Amino acid sequence: MRGPASILLFIIMLFVQSFCTYGQETPDFIYHIVKNNESALQISQFYNVPVDSIRKWNYLDRNYRVIEGMKLIIKGRNSKYQNNTVTGKSRLIDSRQEPKTTTVKVNPPIKFSLTVKQTATDNKQTTTDKLTPIIEQPVTNKSTLLVKQTPSDTISSKEKLTTEKGLAQVLDNSKKSVKDALTDSLLTTDQPVFLPIYSDPIKNESRSTFFEKVLYYYFKSNYLIKFIIFLNLLFLISSIILAIWLLSRRLKTEYIEFKKTKCQDRYRDFITDWLYEEHIPSVPVSLIKELKDKVFRDVFTTELLSLHNNLTGESAEKLVELFHLAGFKKFSIQKVHRPFWHLKAKGFRELAQMKIKENFMIFKYLNSGNVTLSIEAQLAWIQLNPDDPLSFYDDPNVKLTEWGQLNLLLALKKSGRIPDFGRWLKSMSKSVSLFALKMAGIYKQFDNVDLVTQRLDDSDRDIRREAICALGKMALPSHTTVLQQLFPKEELENKIEIIRSLIMMSEFSSIPFFEEVLLKETDINLRILSAKGLVSLGDTGKEKLDSIFLEADPILKKIIIHAKDNRI
């Protein structure tokens, strides 16, 4: 949307510029309105500028034709006449002025003297021109045309020199005599005099291109307009680049998907045949050459790892053998050394499943700031170091997330080797201590009961709650008294966990405790859990509830009914 809007705004600005000059700096030029019977020569004489420059500024034709009412641009001159009019008469020149000589280079080795006499009268002006040849020594490559203005009466006012034909005749007859050139050059005409003096050479130039107009508009505009144009061009160029990039990316993605679809089924069939059929202990050369392509190799590796993840024993070992025979080991190591985290994570997974030990690179990312990369490195470490899978927990800076703890638990179950978590129950890392307490309770490591009990006095609320849960999972009757004594000191969440742990222990010694909580606590959740604790103790607990029900208030009766409902 930004690109089309920028283009539309840019076109509107050019359209407005064609009708007004707002925003442009005032250049050194003036406008002249052509009057009746004015010619380009008269205007050039009036403003003291070359006539061919007026043609170039205003795109006149070769005949310098102007039309009455035409608006002409005159640059580089400030006329002393402020009324911006031309009278049709040339400015008067004092006959006492010194002769002016102008030299122009032409091809023929001939010199001419052009004599112009201007006499001022009251209301009239007479101009007589004479072109007199001056013969000098010829020059090899270039010669000079000397145009000299002197007072003279040698030629009448009707004998005028036309540049268009006379100078052309001189150029075309450079080898003729001076007399013949002069005869061809002097013609009688009533048209205005055109002096063969050119300040700006006439070139065969076409109309300005769109790009030239844009540049002219840009350089003649003020800073605000330049800034707006710059922003429009920037947005336009960036939109074009972005469109090209998106198009190329989409085409590339579609091409990769086409290649994956083309080879996926074929590779899956090959891997299945490798597992369940007899084969030679080598991979076909044609397949190895094909797998040099990155897309084909990624598809083959993905299919192999996916199948290996669901297999164990001899079948899994065959897939590991196929991985190494195909030469994929070096590519997995290269992924680990790549700067992109998703490639590193994929490399760690391949190393772990294919039993490729690169402990140094994995150890560097065990505590990475990228959570996903850290989890993949920890899972790879567990699989590649079965003798001491959780040795990285010794680092006090290790941080574990809930998702990471779940993945580590699954990896430990799959490996079949459960370490002694008492080693990390007093870890300086809070996340490691919580995970160790949780694992000690799940795997009922009774040897670590004393260490777990010590964490009940920890200053951290989360660690105390996890220690309470661990004791409840171990269900040791000897620790019911400890939990009952801890109950009044704890917060509501930890009180709930204490009652749940006592329910799991199922000790009749807890009946007075449950009764006291049911009658004295104000929190509904604690009272419901206490009633359920009495129900869990069997007939003894239920009889106690019935006796309490007889003297209970309406709320307590509802709690007891709720606790006895087996559907809840």
Side-chain angles (χ1 to χ4, degrees):
M1 185 63 186
R2 184 178 60 181
S6 302
I7 298 174
L8 181 61
L9 180 59
F10 185 71
I11 294 174
I12 292 174
M13 292 176 61
L14 291 180
F15 181 76
V16 173
Q17 171 63 18
S18 63
F19 291 96
C20 66
T21 58
Y22 173 78
Q24 296 188 3
E25 297 177 356
T26 305
D28 189 15
F29 70 85
I30 59 176
Y31 290 107
H32 178 87
I33 308 299
V34 178
K35 305 298 182 181
N36 187 23
N37 296 327
E38 270 189 340
S39 64
L41 178 61
Q42 290 175 327
I43 298 171
S44 69
Q45 291 175 350
F46 178 76
Y47 290 103
N48 193 23
V49 294
V51 66
D52 51 303
S53 295
I54 295 178
R55 175 198 170 192
K56 181 179 180 180
W57 296 333
N58 298 278
Y59 301 99
L60 301 179
D61 57 15
R62 293 185 177 181
N63 296 325
Y64 301 87
R65 184 165 60 113
V66 294
I67 303 173
E68 181 181 355
M70 181 183 292
K71 188 176 181 180
L72 300 180
I73 296 176
I74 309 298
K75 294 184 181 179
R77 296 291 185 269
N78 291 324
S79 175
K80 65 182 180 178
Y81 303 105
Q82 299 300 325
N83 54 2
N84 194 26
T85 58
V86 177
T87 60
K89 298 181 180 181
S90 303
R91 288 183 296 172
L92 302 182
I93 301 176
D94 190 355
S95 61
R96 293 175 296 177
Q97 291 178 347
E98 291 296 327
K100 298 180 181 179
T101 305
T102 304
T103 302
V104 181
K105 293 182 179 182
V106 297
N107 193 30
I110 303 172
K111 286 188 177 181
F112 297 92
S113 176
L114 176 64
T115 303
V116 180
K117 181 179 180 181
Q118 298 176 335
T119 305
T121 61
D122 293 338
N123 295 316
K124 297 181 180 180
Q125 175 179 330
T126 305
T127 302
T128 58
D129 301 342
K130 182 178 180 181
L131 185 64
T132 306
I134 300 176
I135 304 176
E136 292 184 354
Q137 294 297 329
V139 183
T140 306
N141 296 326
K142 299 180 179 179
S143 55
T144 305
L145 172 63
L146 181 63
V147 182
K148 187 175 182 182
Q149 296 181 357
T150 57
S152 176
D153 296 321
T154 56
I155 301 178
S156 63
S157 60
K158 292 184 178 181
E159 295 176 340
K160 306 292 182 179
L161 175 65
T162 58
T163 304
E164 189 170 322
K165 181 176 180 182
L167 186 58
Q169 291 290 339
V170 172
L171 297 175
D172 293 337
N173 299 282
S174 59
K175 294 184 180 182
K176 294 182 180 180
S177 62
V178 175
K179 182 177 180 180
D180 294 339
L182 180 61
T183 303
D184 295 335
S185 301
L186 294 177
L187 300 176
T188 302
T189 178
D190 294 332
Q191 300 296 328
V193 179
F194 293 89
L195 300 179
I197 303 172
Y198 298 97
S199 297
D200 298 329
I202 299 177
K203 300 179 181 179
N204 293 329
E205 55 184 359
S206 60
R207 295 181 62 85
S208 298
T209 62
F210 175 77
F211 182 71
E212 292 174 346
K213 291 180 180 179
V214 172
L215 286 181
Y216 177 80
Y217 176 82
Y218 178 80
F219 289 116
K220 290 297 182 182
S221 301
N222 59 24
Y223 290 111
L224 178 60
I225 302 300
K226 287 182 178 179
F227 181 71
I228 294 174
I229 294 175
F230 174 77
L231 288 181
N232 278 273
L233 290 176
L234 179 64
F235 292 152
L236 177 62
I237 294 172
S238 61
S239 299
I240 293 174
I241 295 175
L242 181 61
I244 294 174
W245 181 78
L246 291 175
L247 180 61
S248 61
R249 185 177 179 85
R250 181 174 181 179
L251 292 175
K252 181 180 179 181
T253 304
E254 291 179 353
Y255 177 68
I256 292 175
E257 290 298 326
F258 170 76
K259 293 177 69 175
K260 289 181 177 180
T261 305
K262 181 180 179 181
C263 64
Q264 190 171 21
D265 294 337
R266 181 160 51 89
Y267 289 162
R268 188 182 295 116
D269 294 340
F270 176 83
I271 296 172
T272 304
D273 294 341
W274 181 275
L275 283 174
Y276 301 109
E277 295 183 3
E278 295 294 333
H279 55 81
I280 58 175
S282 63
V283 181
V285 178
S286 59
L287 181 60
I288 293 178
K289 291 182 178 179
E290 183 178 346
L291 293 178
K292 291 181 179 180
D293 185 276
K294 183 179 180 300
V295 177
F296 293 152
R297 186 171 62 250
D298 288 343
V299 174
F300 191 92
T301 305
T302 301
E303 293 296 328
L304 190 147
L305 294 177
S306 177
L307 188 58
H308 177 272
N309 195 39
N310 298 318
L311 296 176
T312 56
E314 184 180 355
S315 299
E317 294 297 329
K318 285 185 177 181
L319 293 180
V320 173
E321 179 188 6
L322 176 60
F323 183 89
H324 288 279
L325 289 175
F328 290 160
K329 178 181 177 180
K330 59 180 181 180
F331 297 110
S332 298
I333 297 175
Q334 288 176 3
K335 290 178 183 178
V336 173
H337 289 83
R338 294 290 296 275
F340 307 106
W341 70 268
H342 65 283
L343 293 179
K344 287 182 179 294
K346 189 174 182 179
F348 290 153
R349 186 172 298 179
E350 293 177 6
L351 294 179
Q353 288 190 242
M354 297 296 111
K355 310 300 180 183
I356 303 172
K357 289 192 176 183
E358 286 289 330
N359 289 345
F360 175 74
M361 286 300 300
I362 296 175
F363 184 80
K364 288 174 59 177
Y365 295 95
L366 288 174
N367 195 28
S368 174
N370 190 313
V371 177
T372 305
L373 185 59
S374 176
I375 292 174
E376 290 294 340
Q378 292 171 8
L379 294 176
W381 184 273
I382 290 174
Q383 295 184 52
L384 294 175
N385 297 274
D387 296 334
D388 192 6
L390 299 180
S391 58
F392 62 92
Y393 279 3
D394 296 335
D395 184 1
N397 296 321
V398 172
K399 296 180 181 180
L400 302 177
T401 62
E402 293 292 334
W403 176 248
Q405 293 178 23
L406 179 60
N407 281 277
L408 292 176
L409 178 59
L410 295 175
L412 289 174
K413 287 183 177 181
K414 187 174 182 179
S415 64
R417 295 187 180 184
I418 307 301
D420 182 9
F421 288 98
R423 175 179 172 185
W424 301 287
L425 286 176
K426 293 185 178 182
S427 174
M428 298 300 296
S429 175
K430 178 181 176 180
S431 59
V432 173
S433 295
L434 291 174
F435 182 72
L437 287 170
K438 188 180 296 184
M439 294 298 103
I442 291 174
Y443 290 106
K444 301 185 184 305
Q445 295 183 348
F446 300 111
D447 295 339
N448 298 320
V449 168
D450 293 337
L451 293 175
V452 174
T453 306
Q454 293 176 8
R455 301 313 300 261
L456 294 175
D457 298 327
D458 197 275
S459 59
D460 190 280
R461 179 185 60 185
D462 297 331
I463 292 180
R464 293 199 306 270
R465 183 172 62 251
E466 199 62 52
I468 293 170
C469 294
L471 290 176
K473 292 173 184 176
M474 292 180 182
L476 294 176
S478 59
H479 288 75
T480 56
T481 305
V482 176
L483 294 179
Q484 292 174 10
Q485 294 174 354
L486 184 65
F487 184 84
K489 304 176 184 179
E490 286 295 340
E491 300 177 1
L492 179 61
E493 293 182 0
N494 286 3
K495 286 182 178 181
I496 293 174
E497 294 299 331
I498 289 174
I499 295 176
R500 287 175 177 171
S501 297
L502 291 174
I503 292 174
M504 287 187 286
M505 292 178 182
S506 297
E507 282 294 314
F508 290 103
S509 60
S510 299
I511 292 176
F513 174 79
F514 290 143
E515 181 182 0
E516 181 181 2
V517 173
L518 181 60
L519 296 175
K520 294 182 179 182
E521 287 292 336
T522 58
D523 185 78
I524 297 298
N525 293 323
L526 292 177
R527 300 178 75 181
I528 293 174
L529 286 174
S530 299
K532 288 185 176 181
L534 291 172
V535 172
S536 65
L537 294 176
D539 295 336
T540 305
K542 291 179 181 180
E543 290 176 359
K544 190 65 177 178
L545 278 178
D546 293 337
S547 63
I548 296 173
F549 185 83
L550 296 175
E551 301 177 357
D553 55 57
I555 296 177
L556 182 56
K557 289 181 179 180
K558 291 181 181 180
I559 292 174
I560 295 174
I561 293 172
H562 177 81
K564 287 184 175 182
D565 193 345
N566 295 326
R567 297 173 299 176
I568 301 175

